[in-house]
Amino acid sequence: MAVAPSHRVSSGERLNTAATTGPLQQSLRKKGLRLTRQRRVILQVMDNAEQHLDVDQILERAQKINAAVHLVTVYRTIDLLKKHGLIDELDLLHLRGDRHYYETHGPRDHIHVACLRCGKVREFESRLYEQLKEQIARDFQMQVTVSRTEVGGICNECLAGESGKSKASV
Amino acid sequence: MAVAPSHRVSSGERLNTAATTGPLQQSLRKKGLRLTRQRRVILQVMDNAEQHLDVDQILERAQKINAAVHLVTVYRTIDLLKKHGLIDELDLLHLRGDRHYYETHGPRDHIHVACLRCGKVREFESRLYEQLKEQIARDFQMQVTVSRTEVGGICNECLAGESGKSKASV
DNA sequence: ATAGATGCAAATATTTTGCCGCCAG
DNA sequence: CTGGCGGCAAAATATTTGCATCTAT
């Protein structure tokens, strides 16, 4: 079943203070990493994001909270979070250029399912996926620490829309 | 004298002619696409590749067959093949920069399993993976036309190598 | 003959780095 | 106080595009 990105609460009006709470901030603190003003803002953005964001979107949202956040800092913070396994990086099959997308690493991995026509991206969780990763871990005797699965096709709305079949070029 | 890329077809002196056979060439011909000298060379490289190649590797191998192949043409041909679903594009979790890797699209999808430490990449096929894609197709009522699964961890050799446990960053 | 392909240079897009002043701990 | 962090500009990497020329069909 398709899982909606339900989680990730958007806290009310904390637009200028960058709350000191939030899962990501707590994780950073626990790891003894420095919590600067900019990082707090970026973490807040990530925590509140209802879906994957690209670097420019992160920057844009961060600057709405505090204009003194620089693109380079977004990159560096993203890197930090990636290194510590706190966020996941996606390509979404390069639907729109070669940029990357980021989202907080939740408790369960999910698959991203993208429509190659309209670009809509949905998330999908499955026990099969967990089993698959276990199988890989067993067969290769390796700890699987990151995994990314992206699937593309033409979604049912788009299929309906084109009724009279035409050559569906990518 | 350019040394042929070892493996498979080592047809003696065909270094300048680029054989007219090969699955990819036949596919292009069947689709009515123009088969230029450069395309033939690039298709030959892809057909003979024993593993995924990045754009520079494709160029390098192509130029050994026929020096008159330009990087831009590699990009354009790759694009063409991608559009027609004849090759797959990988990121390999961005182990080394943000470049892309390409391989001919075989009959069965496979998963790429990469060691984040040593960079070795292995392939993995599984019925579970096929089932997973079927599940997605069913649940979302969509035709899945492309899929990419990349998994990372520390391989057993690397784990053995570091015996005295250290903090495995990244 | 002619639509489409290639080469070359230059433009884009995306991400990283060097250096220095600044701030969190 | 001090070492890591952020800002800025510039570099590096990766890919795309405009245009004139060439070529496969």
Side-chain angles (χ1 to χ4, degrees):
Chain A
M1 53 226 54
V3 174
S6 48
H7 42 279
R8 288 179 257 238
V9 188
S10 57
S11 53
E13 296 303 297
R14 299 228 159 254
L15 290 187
N16 285 307
T17 33
T20 4
T21 53
L24 281 180
Q25 286 200 41
Q26 307 211 340
S27 300
L28 273 221
R29 201 184 291 281
K30 189 162 19 178
K31 286 174 184 279
L33 295 167
R34 206 174 275 199
L35 266 180
T36 63
R37 186 160 33 88
Q38 291 87 332
R39 284 188 182 172
R40 261 192 273 266
V41 173
I42 294 169
L43 298 179
Q44 187 189 347
V45 167
M46 295 307 293
D47 268 329
N48 289 350
E50 72 296 336
Q51 49 134 24
H52 48 263
L53 302 175
D54 68 26
V55 176
D56 291 323
Q57 292 171 318
I58 295 172
L59 179 66
E60 199 183 329
R61 294 184 183 203
Q63 292 187 331
K64 279 192 185 145
I65 301 175
N66 184 320
V69 177
H70 196 279
L71 177 62
V72 171
T73 302
V74 173
Y75 274 111
R76 289 199 263 231
T77 303
I78 287 295
D79 243 36
L80 182 78
L81 297 174
K82 235 186 341 183
K83 274 212 192 68
H84 289 270
L86 299 172
I87 59 172
D88 289 324
E89 181 181 71
L90 321 170
D91 296 281
L92 296 182
L93 298 172
H94 306 301
L95 281 179
R96 277 148 38 219
D98 288 332
R99 72 190 51 163
H100 294 137
Y101 299 85
Y102 301 92
E103 64 183 19
T104 64
H105 182 76
R108 293 176 62 90
D109 281 345
H110 52 258
I111 293 167
H112 289 90
V113 183
C115 175
L116 301 174
R117 182 71 54 92
C118 66
K120 203 180 304 152
V121 178
R122 283 123 128 200
E123 301 183 350
F124 184 76
E125 273 183 20
S126 166
R127 234 176 71 64
L128 276 180
Y129 192 41
E130 301 305 317
Q131 292 175 338
L132 180 63
K133 287 183 295 180
E134 284 162 23
Q135 191 184 37
I136 292 169
R138 216 179 317 115
D139 282 23
F140 287 124
Q141 289 197 278
M142 83 190 283
Q143 277 181 53
V144 171
T145 55
V146 280
S147 69
R148 182 160 82 200
T149 294
E150 301 176 341
V151 161
I154 310 295
C155 73
N156 48 5
E157 281 98 23
C158 284
L159 278 176
E162 74 178 87
S163 38
K165 80 164 316 298
S166 55
K167 39 84 175 278
S169 54
V170 170
Chain B
M1 190 56 51
V3 174
S6 60
H7 51 270
R8 302 178 202 184
V9 187
S10 58
S11 49
E13 298 304 299
R14 295 228 159 251
L15 290 185
N16 285 307
T17 33
T20 3
T21 53
L24 281 180
Q25 285 199 44
Q26 306 211 341
S27 301
L28 273 221
R29 200 184 291 282
K30 188 160 21 172
K31 286 172 183 282
L33 295 167
R34 208 175 275 200
L35 267 181
T36 62
R37 187 160 31 88
Q38 292 85 334
R39 284 188 182 171
R40 260 192 273 266
V41 173
I42 295 169
L43 298 179
Q44 187 187 348
V45 167
M46 295 307 294
D47 267 328
N48 290 349
E50 71 298 336
Q51 50 133 27
H52 48 262
L53 302 175
D54 68 26
V55 176
D56 290 324
Q57 292 171 316
I58 295 171
L59 178 67
E60 198 182 330
R61 294 183 181 204
Q63 291 188 332
K64 279 188 185 153
I65 301 175
N66 184 321
V69 177
H70 195 280
L71 177 62
V72 171
T73 302
V74 173
Y75 273 112
R76 289 199 262 231
T77 303
I78 287 296
D79 243 37
L80 181 79
L81 297 174
K82 232 183 350 180
K83 275 213 190 66
H84 288 271
L86 300 173
I87 59 172
D88 288 325
E89 181 181 70
L90 320 172
D91 296 281
L92 295 183
L93 299 171
H94 306 302
L95 282 179
R96 276 148 39 218
D98 287 334
R99 73 192 47 165
H100 294 136
Y101 299 85
Y102 301 92
E103 63 182 21
T104 64
H105 182 76
R108 292 177 62 89
D109 281 346
H110 52 258
I111 294 167
H112 288 91
V113 182
C115 174
L116 301 174
R117 182 71 54 92
C118 66
K120 204 181 304 153
V121 178
R122 283 125 127 198
E123 301 185 350
F124 184 76
E125 271 185 20
S126 166
R127 233 177 71 63
L128 277 179
Y129 191 41
E130 301 305 317
Q131 291 174 340
L132 181 61
K133 286 184 293 179
E134 283 163 23
Q135 191 184 39
I136 292 169
R138 217 179 317 116
D139 281 22
F140 286 124
Q141 292 198 278
M142 81 190 284
Q143 274 182 54
V144 171
T145 54
V146 279
S147 70
R148 183 160 82 199
T149 294
E150 300 176 343
V151 161
I154 310 294
C155 73
N156 47 5
E157 281 100 22
C158 284
L159 278 176
E162 74 179 87
S163 38
K165 81 163 316 290
S166 54
K167 37 76 175 284
S169 56
V170 174

